[in-house]
Amino acid sequence: MQEWSAYPATETFYRLLEWLNGSESVFESNDCAFSGAIANTSAQFSKRLQCSGRLMILYRDLALNTSPEQVHWLTNAAAHALRRTDQAFEWGAIGATIMRQIYDPAGAAGTATGQQLMLSFWAWGDDALEVMTNLDRTFRNVTVALRKLSDEIRHSSPATTSDD
């Protein structure tokens, strides 16, 4: 994202990563990617440009990542929280996908198969400024949703799964 560092979206993303990997979050991230503004390939959106990327999310407590129920709960809860955040916003989108992952916990014997959440993101605009402004709003929405989830998990019973 260094090429796009003149735009506030870059700092918003870095703050999100800092929080995710900091002590206030029950989550962490182990990977991300960003394409930058390119020609829009989606007929669904009437803007000239789009950008996209991904952000991998996993529980800081690695054992939870080996529980399909916990990862499914996180995926559903994240999607639900994102739907409730900034409902009028139409030039950004976020997709939630469960990805298979092999975990090699420090100090543990062997590896464990688990999963993690991949948040894919897109933003559209007619020029780079509009794309990056919409991306900033998208990142702010992701931050709000993940902070709410982290707080909910931190202040709930040990089992995070529910029918919600």
Side-chain angles (χ1 to χ4, degrees):
M1 291 200 63
Q2 289 179 341
E3 178 182 341
W4 303 93
S5 64
Y7 297 97
T10 302
E11 184 59 32
T12 301
F13 185 72
Y14 289 152
R15 281 194 313 268
L16 170 58
L17 285 178
E18 183 177 26
W19 170 78
L20 268 173
N21 292 307
S23 61
E24 292 179 25
S25 171
V26 299
F27 308 120
E28 60 184 310
S29 177
N30 63 356
D31 183 56
C32 60
F34 179 65
S35 72
I38 59 172
N40 180 14
T41 59
S42 173
Q44 187 177 0
F45 295 93
S46 62
K47 298 291 186 177
R48 287 185 340 93
L49 300 174
Q50 71 178 29
C51 67
S52 64
R54 72 173 179 271
L55 176 62
M56 305 304 287
I57 308 287
L58 59 148
Y59 290 104
R60 186 171 307 279
D61 178 353
L62 292 181
L64 294 174
N65 299 302
T66 62
S67 166
E69 294 81 14
Q70 294 297 323
V71 176
H72 284 271
W73 179 89
L74 174 59
T75 304
N76 291 333
H80 186 69
L82 286 162
R83 277 193 301 273
R84 292 188 322 242
T85 304
D86 198 4
Q87 295 176 355
F89 183 46
E90 59 185 307
W91 297 114
I94 302 158
T97 307
I98 296 173
M99 303 295 292
R100 186 169 185 258
Q101 180 70 32
I102 304 296
Y103 294 100
D104 189 8
T111 59
T113 301
Q115 299 169 317
Q116 62 183 327
L117 171 61
M118 179 176 71
L119 294 181
S120 301
F121 55 84
W122 297 266
W124 292 269
D126 284 325
D127 57 35
L129 177 59
E130 185 180 10
V131 169
M132 295 304 288
T133 298
N134 289 330
L135 183 63
D136 185 57
R137 189 166 169 182
T138 302
F139 289 153
R140 289 176 188 274
N141 293 339
V142 169
T143 301
V144 166
L146 291 178
R147 281 182 175 268
K148 283 181 183 176
L149 279 179
S150 181
D151 289 345
E152 181 180 324
I153 292 167
R154 192 179 296 276
H155 296 104
S156 70
S157 64
T160 59
T161 56
S162 71
D163 293 332
D164 214 8

